[in-house]
Amino acid sequence: MSYQLILLSISALIAVGILLHHPSKTLGIPSLLIFMGVGLTIGNGEFNFIYDNLAITSTVGTIALNMIVFVGGINTSTQSIRLAYKEGGVLATFGVFFTTIILAALLYPLTDWGLVICLLFAAIVSSTDAAAVFSILESKKLKLKEKTDTVLEFESATNDPVALVMVMILTGIALAPDKAISAWEIGQTLILQILLGISIAFVVAKIAVIALNRISLEEYGLIPVFVLACFILAAYGSEFVGGNILIASYVAGVVMGNGIKRGKEVTKHFFNSLSWLAQSLMFIILGLQIFPQTLFSVFVLSLLPAALLMFVARPLAVQLCYLPFRKASWKKRLFISSIGLKGATPIVFSLIPAAAGVDGAIELVHVVFFIVMFSIVLQGAAIEPLAKKLKLNNDS
């Protein structure tokens, strides 16, 4: 296929998805489902076009995810971080770990998966999705009491690194099952990735902020372009030396989003547009990669892990995380434990072992797809009525 036809096809798919965005809001359907639905409809044999490339899908999904997390950081105020970093930080680290262990422990005796595959699958679906949380809270204009929405946003924006590190480590273990598992090495890897991701991204972003604030660029349009270049330096520079790229993306976004004095609004509009483009591409290509005819074979298989994740593992993990925060009301704990929104992130993570060649990983991709669909439809729809029922909505 020529590059012109590829560009035309991608542009047409994005345009269709954007035009369907308003009707999707009117019908209460998350826009990400629209984009994924466009990909599912177009790319798997219909219209004489078949797309099946795990490596490209994984790469595009990862790049788009980095951009979405960076934009989430740009739109996060330091005041929100001060309000939510304790609860959100515990949920983003221990919450992901507890969810993984609890879900894997539940699945191991109930499925024919091995222990490593159970842990790998649980790690893939353990984190909440920043794109899904941000888009649904924004579309419903929800502002919740007790900093609940701020905690959810902070958790979703910062919990992917822990999940990603566990997915990478467990993928390696699945590919080399005879290799001894060292908890010490895993802990060292996780800490090193987080520290390098934070420190390198902070330094690069801080230098960028100082440069922009001291050098008044005459053309405002150059400011977001400069920020984009510095984001790439911070995020991918961090990954190059062994840091976690997702946490580097978020830190770089927070530092630059809060530090830039001139051209801040132009920069935010520019990157919000880029975030939409990244989401569009990511959901469309994920839709293209999923084959509807193979999904139904794992539909029943996905019901059990979806139920265990939404109604047991996530709630129990959140309750454990909130043990130190005794002042938090039971309503807040119940709401956060019930709203563990999944989005494209778990699907992107599931492509890592699939692209690496882990046995049975393709089946995991399809199971994860259904879990994301259940989460978006059920948990996404439950956010507003549950907030009103618990009287957490500021309007109540």
Side-chain angles (χ1 to χ4, degrees):
M1 183 182 293
S2 67
Y3 78 90
Q4 295 100 327
L5 189 55
I6 292 173
L7 286 175
L8 286 170
S9 301
I10 292 173
S11 299
L13 291 175
I14 292 173
V16 170
I18 290 174
L19 290 175
L20 291 172
H21 173 60
H22 181 71
S24 74
K25 289 179 68 175
T26 304
L27 296 171
I29 303 171
S31 57
L32 56 88
L33 280 183
I34 297 295
F35 286 110
M36 190 173 286
V38 170
L40 280 167
T41 303
I42 301 296
N44 295 302
E46 296 80 3
F47 306 100
N48 295 319
F49 171 66
I50 297 177
Y51 171 85
D52 185 15
N53 193 314
L54 284 170
I56 292 177
T57 303
S58 182
T59 300
V60 172
T62 302
I63 293 172
L65 186 60
N66 295 335
M67 175 59 68
I68 292 166
V69 171
F70 175 68
V71 177
I74 285 180
N75 290 313
T76 302
S77 67
T78 51
Q79 182 182 4
S80 297
I81 293 175
R82 292 190 191 100
L83 290 172
Y85 79 94
K86 290 182 180 178
E87 295 176 29
V90 171
L91 288 169
T93 51
F94 290 102
V96 170
F97 179 75
F98 290 153
T99 302
T100 300
I101 298 300
I102 294 168
L103 183 58
L106 293 169
L107 289 174
Y108 183 60
L110 297 174
T111 65
D112 57 358
W113 295 341
L115 179 58
V116 173
I117 297 300
C118 287
L119 286 167
L120 177 58
F121 173 81
I124 287 169
V125 298
S126 61
S127 64
T128 56
D129 185 79
V133 171
F134 288 148
S135 63
I136 289 179
L137 287 177
E138 182 184 354
S139 65
K140 296 183 181 297
K141 306 296 181 185
L142 277 179
K143 292 295 179 184
L144 306 176
K145 297 175 183 176
E146 300 185 51
K147 307 173 294 186
T148 305
D149 52 334
T150 306
V151 171
L152 279 170
E153 289 177 346
F154 185 86
E155 177 204 3
S156 67
T158 57
N159 64 1
D160 291 333
V162 176
L164 178 59
V165 170
M166 289 197 295
V167 169
M168 297 296 292
I169 291 171
L170 289 165
T171 297
I173 294 171
L175 290 171
D178 297 330
K179 185 179 178 181
I181 302 173
S182 171
W184 174 248
E185 288 182 8
I186 291 174
Q188 279 185 315
T189 301
L190 179 60
I191 292 171
L192 183 64
Q193 285 206 11
I194 291 174
L195 290 178
L196 284 173
I198 292 173
S199 57
I200 292 174
F202 181 84
V203 170
V204 173
K206 201 68 178 177
I207 292 171
V209 167
I210 293 170
L212 274 179
N213 290 340
R214 290 189 178 180
I215 303 170
S216 296
L217 295 173
E218 293 183 6
E219 176 54 59
Y220 268 67
L222 292 176
I223 296 174
V225 177
F226 178 79
V227 172
L228 176 61
C230 291
F231 153 63
I232 295 172
L233 289 172
Y236 290 89
S238 173
E239 184 185 42
F240 183 74
V241 298
N244 186 277
I245 191 169
L246 288 175
I247 201 164
S249 299
Y250 183 71
V251 170
V254 170
V255 173
M256 287 194 270
N258 288 276
I260 295 172
K261 296 177 181 177
R262 188 169 178 268
K264 179 178 285 190
E265 289 304 312
V266 173
T267 300
K268 283 191 175 182
H269 285 304
F270 175 82
F271 280 101
N272 284 336
S273 299
L274 274 187
S275 179
W276 262 106
L277 178 60
Q279 287 187 59
S280 305
L281 286 172
M282 179 167 64
F283 290 123
I284 286 171
I285 199 168
L286 289 175
L288 291 173
Q289 182 64 60
I290 302 295
F291 288 81
Q293 55 268 34
T294 61
L295 284 175
F296 299 106
S297 62
V298 297
F299 176 78
V300 175
L301 178 63
S302 66
L303 293 174
L304 177 62
L308 291 174
L309 174 63
M310 288 191 286
F311 301 117
V312 184
R314 165 73 181 182
L316 186 54
V318 170
Q319 297 305 320
L320 289 172
C321 289
Y322 264 94
L323 289 177
F325 305 106
R326 298 185 179 181
K327 293 183 179 179
S329 70
W330 68 268
K331 293 180 179 180
K332 179 179 183 179
R333 299 181 191 206
L334 176 60
F335 185 86
I336 291 177
S337 65
S338 302
I339 306 300
L341 278 169
K342 310 302 173 188
T345 305
I347 302 177
V348 173
F349 285 174
S350 70
L351 293 172
I352 294 172
V358 174
D359 289 340
I362 296 296
E363 182 183 60
L364 294 186
V365 174
H366 296 143
V367 174
V368 169
F369 174 85
F370 276 118
I371 287 178
V372 170
M373 293 301 103
F374 295 147
S375 176
I376 292 170
V377 173
L378 298 178
Q379 293 179 310
I383 283 186
E384 192 170 16
L386 183 59
K388 290 180 179 179
K389 184 71 175 178
L390 296 174
K391 296 183 179 179
L392 283 173
N393 198 321
N394 275 327
D395 296 334
S396 60

